Amino acid sequence: MSRKTVSLTEDAYKRLKAKKRENESFSDVVNRLIAGVKLQDFHGLLAEDTAEAVSEAVDSRRSEHATQQKGRLGRLMDQSGDAS
């Protein structure tokens, strides 16, 4: 079985650990907590204009994140060039 590493804040880790039952792995906890949750369960929950505003905010944040990530990568590349 393949494995993935996931980073959590200290608070998130403590909250997840609090949900953990005896003899239960963290994978078991996550699977138990999200069982049955489907994106379609949320359809119609928000008004159309609210959903649009949320979508635009998410798109904007993703764009900002991508720009920041490119900047960090560029600085790392510059620093690695300086080291040689």
Side-chain angles (χ1 to χ4, degrees), residues 49-81:
D49 57 339
T50 304
E52 176 110 3
V54 169
S55 180
E56 289 173 3
V58 168
D59 289 345
S60 174
R61 183 62 189 113
R62 284 180 177 158
S63 177
E64 290 172 18
H65 178 74
T67 299
Q68 292 169 355
Q69 189 174 20
K70 287 178 186 176
R72 287 190 296 272
L73 181 57
R75 287 190 300 279
L76 284 172
M77 297 300 286
D78 290 346
Q79 288 174 358
S80 68

Side-chain angles (χ1 to χ4, degrees), residues 8-9 16 18 20 24 30 32-35 47 63 72 75:
L8 299 173
T9 63
L16 185 62
K20 193 172 177 291
E24 189 176 42
V30 170
R32 177 172 48 83
L33 293 176
I34 65 170
S63 177
R72 287 190 296 272
R75 287 190 300 279

